[in-house]
Amino acid sequence: MSTTAAARLVHPPVRPGGLFPLRPMAQDEIFKGAFTVIRRNRRATLGLPFVAAVMNFLISLLLIAVMPGDTYLRLLTDPAAFEDEELLFAALSEGGMVLMVLATSFLGGLLWAMSLGLLAIPVVRSVYGLPTTLQQTLRLRASRLGWLLLHLLILLVVIGVLALVIVIAGVLLTVATLGFGLLLLVPGFLLLLCWLTAGLMFGPLLIIVERRNAFNAISRSFALNRGMWWRHIGTVALLYLMLLVVLAVTSLPAGIVASLGGELAWQSEQGQNDVIVLLVLGLGQLYDLVLNTLLVALIGTVIGVMYLNARFRREALDVMLQHLAPPSPQTDSDAESLAAVLPGSPEHLAAGSRTPPGGAPQ
């Protein structure tokens, strides 16, 4: 066997359009492409949200260790406890616990959002059929994590202010119309939610892939929706519907297990209830970890393929990527160079423009 043939067996070939079409895609092709990316890059697409879920779990454990009150443990292990008004009021009256819960929820949300942004890396590398590991994903754009965090904090402030304005306007409209305003308010709110999600969803990906800063990523994200607003709003609405259905279906068995475990824990003898509480908490966290990992991986890859599709349609990026496709690796050094390639990034487009097809850089 020749050296070239042996190298091709070791290093996967470059296959433009091998995982999803390298052209403007239809709606079903976007979802098919997302599932293909997950299947071919499981370590990256599932590993990122899994790491975020584990870190979120560790934060929750820290909360329990810092404030291991019986009230908080009862609320964690027994969903029926939320129907006890006295118990709920006692929990809310513990200011330190409320602040800790808000802080951990905030940090957990940031971790999920950052993992969504980083999922753009395995998606864009799939343009050439390049495999991506979890280590590659974390290493290729580690320098952009600061900008990504700042961008997410800015979005949090903007969305918080908009939500406050919408709530106040909704209350005033409902009171002024004696409740009939809700007939317009509810569908209008859902449409606004989908529109705002579509307008902002590309921001984290732009910071990672295009090296945008935390501010112009917002305007660039809105710009990528031009001419495709209703297409993207429909996809976002479908994602929200899928989330609602999945959460509704999966919350039933989780609620039954947590309710039975909570009752057994709080009715068992002293010493045994601690073991049952830990078991219920562990099963609940493991269930949430697996579910959240799958949901975040799906949402992140769908948004990543939508981002590429938007650039295909608006900027003819698909034509540029086909023209700038690198040759399949022949040696280890070629494979190492491909490991750092991020298709569609400024450095890739700049380096490719100086390289004739199939040749060496000029």
Side-chain angles (χ1 to χ4, degrees), residues 59-240:
I59 293 174
S60 300
L61 288 182
L62 178 63
L63 171 62
I64 297 174
V66 172
M67 306 194 69
D70 290 342
T71 302
Y72 178 67
L73 289 177
R74 180 65 185 271
L75 291 175
L76 277 180
T77 57
D78 186 6
F82 286 91
E83 300 175 3
D84 189 335
E85 295 182 0
E86 294 184 2
L87 183 66
L88 190 59
F89 180 77
L92 294 175
S93 63
E94 298 178 10
M97 189 197 76
V98 173
L99 290 176
M100 186 69 74
V101 170
L102 292 176
T104 51
S105 300
F106 173 73
L107 292 175
L110 283 180
L111 289 173
W112 291 121
M114 293 184 75
S115 66
L116 283 174
L118 288 171
L119 281 172
I121 294 177
V123 172
V124 298
R125 284 177 55 81
S126 296
V127 163
Y128 291 145
L130 299 174
T132 308
T133 65
L134 177 59
Q135 183 181 5
Q136 278 178 286
T137 306
L138 295 173
R139 187 184 69 248
L140 283 177
R141 283 295 194 260
S143 61
R144 307 301 299 167
L145 295 181
W147 280 114
L148 179 58
L149 179 59
L150 178 59
H151 176 76
L152 294 173
L153 292 175
I154 292 173
L155 291 185
L156 181 65
V157 173
V158 171
I159 293 173
V161 173
L162 287 176
L164 180 61
V165 172
I166 292 171
V167 168
I168 294 175
V171 171
L172 294 176
L173 179 62
T174 303
V175 172
T177 59
L178 300 178
F180 290 101
L182 289 175
L183 298 176
L184 296 175
L185 188 63
V186 173
F189 171 77
L190 295 177
L191 179 60
L192 178 61
L193 176 63
C194 293
W195 174 81
L196 192 60
T197 303
L200 297 173
M201 64 183 177
F202 296 138
L205 289 73
L206 292 166
I207 291 174
I208 296 298
V209 177
E210 299 184 23
R211 296 186 178 273
R212 302 274 174 169
N213 62 46
F215 303 96
N216 65 20
I218 297 176
S219 58
R220 166 71 169 160
S221 180
F222 274 89
L224 284 176
N225 284 277
R226 291 175 186 165
M228 293 174 284
W229 276 109
W230 287 113
R231 178 190 298 271
H232 290 169
I233 288 174
T235 305
V236 169
L238 181 59
L239 285 175
Y240 277 129

Side-chain angles (χ1 to χ4, degrees), residues 249-260:
V249 172
T250 56
S251 63
L252 181 61
I256 293 174
V257 172
S259 180
L260 292 176

Side-chain angles (χ1 to χ4, degrees), residues 256-278:
I256 293 174
V257 172
S259 180
L260 292 176
E263 287 296 326
L264 289 174
W266 295 104
Q267 293 179 8
S268 60
E269 298 180 0
Q270 186 68 25
Q272 296 179 351
N273 57 352
D274 293 339
V275 176
I276 298 178
V277 167
L278 291 176

Side-chain angles (χ1 to χ4, degrees), residues 308-326:
L308 284 173
N309 191 50
R311 293 189 67 184
F312 290 171
R313 291 179 178 273
R314 284 191 54 81
E315 305 169 353
L317 180 66
D318 52 328
V319 177
M320 288 187 283
L321 291 178
Q322 289 175 352
H323 176 71
L324 303 177

